[in-house]
């Protein structure tokens, strides 16, 4: 059963019709191949045109799509010999940030990312991808491990934001995020970050201050959620659509602002339609970036990363 | 509409004539205990309530005066940054909000944004201070504030001076979107450069220090000093209450709470902040050289001192 977003209703209806016709064809002797073919062309065209002109708010919805490939889908397709690693060695193991070590296209890498969970049970287990301090501290541990063994780090960002809870505050959420950012900027191994879904504020940048930062075409990356922004600046969460536009949170805008290095194309109709294809496209970009970055001298790599972030924000949208 | 709402107040002002020339803020009400404080007492007491010791927000300029020797300092010029980089508009244009915030400032010391970078002396030693101005759009951090911190860090390294940053901020400035978020890594790099130069980096956490500022450079100080009662945390109280669906206890996210949970080193009353920082700078920076110098120059004297017990020991024989 496929999940459809509200703006995908016309697509859902057409696909429903095709499904019905196919069902008829299976049971009866009527030949409707022609009709199905025509409808298929129509629906393909509809998907292409719909996805070619998504509004920022629609992109927010696609970025949060429940069927969109998540961290675990990426890891299982990208890595061989994957070994998950757990715990921050001080308090607990956070399930919103996962990580481990594995072989990515022949190269040993450390991978860290947010997991939102694919169904209700998993979403609760992974706290909807909202990490607590333990998650960021686990990430720091893994980054240090990567540096010690000179392994590149791949991060996959997909979080609504860091978890705003009492325990999280008690255990130093701010410090945990700050330290993660510091480590991303400090390590002497390549760090390639990809926003695969939602890049929610401090919880995202904690894993995303990398040498190369990519974004999937329909992912979003923002200082605050459109809902949060709307309720503060417009004093009404209803204005989330307007806020989504004002915030410039799409991959295309962020590329213009030089905050990210590249936009990765998604399969037609979004990553959730062809998850494997989306993962492969991301893998290709990461592999290309790693080939370049691994050839760099560690000190120069770090200096370049710092310069890149120091220059950020000096230019606005022209 | 009821007759109660239609009631019109008698215009007393019109009856007594023109308003006399008296500043309307002679008396301040403490937001904690509700007692009235005369404005001169308030200034003399550095905006600390004399009744309940509540530390009220202190304007950035007064903060700087309190820190530097004789209240004297120079302001560093901050590089120009793009105004309204996203062409942001909520119910108002961001560029208008900025102009409004700038026009509210005293013309003499007009702050272009929510940060002042100052350098001067503390106990005769060069120090660089970056102070947030909470009255400027809630002290929120956008590109200009980030630029201020980068400038302060570079200045500290150039002068080989300690850096003190004093946040008073709600966090990132929403109207600059992702560029505000990018000030987090940017300011982290800035303070890293200070630390790598072997210089102390102090954070003086004042009310409030939350959001993207607390989750970046503000939690990476060599030493964290906080003012009593200051609210310091990542998520806002309201957001947490909505998430956990319960009211939070009093004292949650205060300086004292952070001290108890290991996130700050010292909670110091406002009057103790300058002497505390001076003492710490001296302890951190005058460690070896002074002791060594004293040890070598006093070597002979020390040996002489060592002779004393010997002669004292031989004393009884002589008597």
């Amino acid at each position: 059963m496929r999940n459809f977003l509200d703006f995908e209703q016309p697509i859902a209806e057409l696909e429903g019709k095709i499904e019905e016709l196919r069902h008829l064809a299976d049971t009866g002797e009527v030949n409707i191949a022609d009709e199905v073919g025509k409808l298929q062309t129509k629906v393909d065209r509809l998907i292409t045109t719909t996805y070619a002109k998504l509004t920022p708010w629609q992109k927010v919805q696609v970025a949060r799509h429940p069927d969109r490939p998540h961290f675990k889908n990426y890891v299982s397709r990208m890595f061989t010999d994957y070994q998950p690693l757990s715990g921050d060695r001080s308090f607990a193991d956070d399930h919103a940030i996962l990580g481990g070590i594995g072989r990515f296209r022949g190269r040993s890498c450390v991978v860290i990312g947010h997991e939102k969970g694919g169904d209700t049970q998993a979403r609760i287990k992974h706290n909807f991808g909202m990490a607590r301090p333990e998650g960021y501290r686990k990430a720091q541990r893994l980054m240090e491990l990567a540096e010690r063994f000179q392994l590149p780090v791949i991060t996959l960002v997909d979080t609504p934001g860091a978890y705003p809870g009492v325990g999280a505050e008690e255990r130093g959420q701010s410090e945990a995020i700050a330290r993660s950012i510091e480590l991303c900027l400090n390590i002497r191994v390549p760090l390639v970050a990809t926003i695969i879904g939602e890049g929610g504020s401090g919880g995202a940048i904690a894993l995303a201050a990398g040498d190369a930062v990519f974004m999937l075409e329909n992912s979003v990356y923002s200082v605050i959620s459109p809902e949060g922004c709307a309720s503060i600046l417009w004093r009404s969460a209803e204005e989330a659509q307007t806020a989504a536009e004002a915030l410039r949170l799409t991959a295309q805008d962020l590329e213009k602002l030089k905050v990210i290095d590249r936009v990765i194309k998604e399969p037609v109709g979004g990553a959730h339609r062809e998850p494997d294809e989306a993962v492969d496209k991301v893998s290709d970009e990461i592999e290309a970036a790693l080939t370049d970055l691994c050839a760099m001298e560690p000190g120069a790599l770090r200096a370049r990363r710092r310069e890149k972030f120091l220059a950020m924000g000096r230019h606005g949208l022209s | 509409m009821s007759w109660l709402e239609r009631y019109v107040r008698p215009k007393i002002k019109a009856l007594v004539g023109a308003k006399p020339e008296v500043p309307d803020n002679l008396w301040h009400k403490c937001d904690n205990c509700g007692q009235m404080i005369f404005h001169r007492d308030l200034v003399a007491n550095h905006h600390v309530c004399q009744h309940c010791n509540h530390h009220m927000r202190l304007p950035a300029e007064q903060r700087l005066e309190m820190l530097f020797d004789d209240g004297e300092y120079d302001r560093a010029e901050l590089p120009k940054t793009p105004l309204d980089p996203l062409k942001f508009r909520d119910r108002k244009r961001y560029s208008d909000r900025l102009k409004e915030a700038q026009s509210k400032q005293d013309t003499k010391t007009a702050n272009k944004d929510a940060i002042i970078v100052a350098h001067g002396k503390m106990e005769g030693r060069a120090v660089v201070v970056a102070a947030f101005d909470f009255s400027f759009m809630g002290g929120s951090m956008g590109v200009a504030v980030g630029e201020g911190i980068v400038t302060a860090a570079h200045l500290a390294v150039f002068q080989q001076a300690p850096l003190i940053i004093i946040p008073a901020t709600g966090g990132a400035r929403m109207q600059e979107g992702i560029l505000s978020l990018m000030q987090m890594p940017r300011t982290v790099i800035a303070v890293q450069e200070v630390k790598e130069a072997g210089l102390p980096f102090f954070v003086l956490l004042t009310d409030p220090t939350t959001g993207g500022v607390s989750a970046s450079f503000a939690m990476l100080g060599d030493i964290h000093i906080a003012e009593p009662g200051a609210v310091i945390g990542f998520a806002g109280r309201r957001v947490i209450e909505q998430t956990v669906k319960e009211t939070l206890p009093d004292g949650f996210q205060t300086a004292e709470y952070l001290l108890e949970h290991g996130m700050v080193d010292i909670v110091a009353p406002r009057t103790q902040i300058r002497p505390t920082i001076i003492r710490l700078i001296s302890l951190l920076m005058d460690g070896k050289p002074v002791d060594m110098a004293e040890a070598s120059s006093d070597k002979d004297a020390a040996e002489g001192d060592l002779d004393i017990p010997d002669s004292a020991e031989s004393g009884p024989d002589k008597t």
Side-chain angles (χ1 to χ4, degrees), chain A residues 164 166 169-170 174 178-179 182 186 201 221 223 232-235 246 248 254 306 309-310 312-314 317, chain B residues 82 85-86 88 90-91 143 147 177-178 181-182 186 192 196 214-216 220 233-235 243 248 253 257 261:
Chain A
V166 179
E169 293 289 324
E170 209 167 46
S174 291
R179 201 65 70 188
E182 186 181 43
N186 245 349
S201 197
Y221 190 10
V223 69
I232 298 171
L233 290 182
W234 280 267
R235 302 190 192 267
R248 311 275 178 180
L254 298 200
R306 284 183 170 191
F309 279 92
L310 272 182
M312 259 178 213
R314 290 204 173 129
L317 281 180
Chain B
L86 303 186
F88 192 96
D90 48 85
R91 288 169 306 161
V143 180
E147 198 67 45
I178 193 77
L181 190 72
M182 290 304 126
R186 217 166 158 235
Q192 268 179 340
E196 281 167 12
S214 79
S216 58
L220 299 175
F234 176 67
T243 310
L248 298 167
Q253 290 184 322
Y257 175 92
H261 289 92

Side-chain angles (χ1 to χ4, degrees), chain B:
Chain B
M1 195 199 269
S2 82
W3 63 271
L4 270 168
E5 285 163 55
R6 262 182 285 146
Y7 173 75
V8 180
R9 287 166 182 278
K11 292 200 169 125
I12 294 172
K13 266 186 202 152
L15 291 174
V16 296
K19 200 165 72 169
E21 285 293 308
V22 178
D24 51 0
N25 51 357
L26 270 180
W27 290 88
H28 290 265
K29 190 176 173 186
C30 172
D31 2 297
N32 185 50
C33 67
Q35 295 256 32
M36 300 305 283
I37 309 160
F38 191 55
H39 75 110
R40 282 204 191 123
D41 293 340
L42 191 72
V43 172
N45 216 16
H46 309 294
H47 288 247
V48 175
C49 174
Q50 73 246 48
H51 307 288
C52 70
N53 202 32
H54 173 59
H55 284 55
M56 290 172 226
R57 284 176 190 154
L58 189 66
E61 286 86 357
Q62 284 183 46
R63 175 79 62 191
L64 294 169
E65 275 169 32
M66 275 190 76
L67 279 179
F68 288 108
D69 294 349
D70 308 315
E72 283 171 17
Y73 59 88
D74 291 313
R75 285 178 64 150
E77 188 138 344
L78 299 181
K80 268 207 154 130
T81 49
L83 194 81
D84 189 8
L86 303 186
K87 311 276 169 264
F88 192 96
R89 184 187 189 139
D90 48 85
R91 288 169 306 161
K92 250 189 212 175
R93 273 207 188 93
Y94 172 47
S95 54
D96 290 341
R97 279 187 197 268
L98 270 179
K99 273 180 212 143
E100 196 184 304
Q102 285 165 352
S103 68
K104 266 197 239 157
Q105 303 283 323
D106 192 342
T107 44
K108 274 184 291 176
T109 56
N111 295 334
K112 291 266 165 13
D113 213 291
I115 198 160
I116 304 178
V117 176
H119 56 107
K121 298 272 161 74
M122 280 177 80
E123 199 81 344
R125 188 195 296 268
V127 172
V128 176
V129 182
F132 280 68
D133 176 5
F134 189 78
S135 68
F136 193 106
M137 295 190 76
S140 54
M141 177 165 77
V143 180
V145 168
E147 198 67 45
I149 290 181
V150 171
T151 305
H154 286 171
L155 189 60
V157 174
F158 178 73
Q159 295 190 347
Q160 287 293 295
L163 174 67
I164 304 167
I165 305 186
I166 312 171
T169 171
R173 187 169 298 167
M174 275 177 288
Q175 291 91 342
E176 293 185 20
I178 193 77
L179 297 179
S180 295
L181 190 72
M182 290 304 126
Q183 301 315 305
M184 293 171 70
R186 217 166 158 235
T187 53
V188 168
I189 297 169
V191 302
Q192 268 179 340
E193 290 178 349
V194 174
K195 290 185 187 173
E196 281 167 12
L199 301 162
F201 165 44
F202 296 93
V203 186
L204 170 54
L205 300 145
T206 70
D207 186 59
T209 301
T210 56
V213 171
S214 79
S216 58
F217 68 88
M219 277 294 144
L220 299 175
D222 289 308
I223 290 174
H224 295 168
I225 304 168
E227 283 202 330
V231 169
I232 306 157
F234 176 67
R237 198 185 168 92
R238 207 163 43 95
V239 177
I240 300 173
E241 283 181 338
Q242 279 167 3
T243 310
V244 300
K245 309 228 163 23
E246 57 185 85
T247 32
L248 298 167
D250 284 346
F252 180 68
Q253 290 184 322
T254 58
E256 294 76 9
Y257 175 92
L258 264 84
L259 181 71
E260 199 180 310
H261 289 92
M263 287 298 146
V264 302
D265 294 282
I266 303 157
V267 176
R270 198 163 279 167
T271 48
Q272 284 307 304
I273 286 168
R274 179 179 138 92
T276 304
I277 294 179
I278 288 173
R279 184 170 62 245
L280 287 167
I281 291 176
S282 170
L283 285 168
L284 291 170
M285 297 183 83
D286 304 336
K288 277 183 205 153
V290 170
D291 285 348
M292 297 273 286
E294 270 178 15
S296 59
S297 65
D298 293 351
K299 208 180 169 189
D300 295 336
E303 273 169 10
D305 287 345
L306 278 173
D307 287 340
I308 295 169
D310 286 341
S311 56
E313 259 175 29
S314 58
D317 287 346
K318 280 176 189 169
T319 48

Side-chain angles (χ1 to χ4, degrees), chain A residues 100-112:
Chain A
I101 181 166
R103 213 171 279 281
F104 167 63
R105 300 198 174 171
R107 188 185 262 132
S108 254
C109 292
V110 163
V111 59
I112 308 166

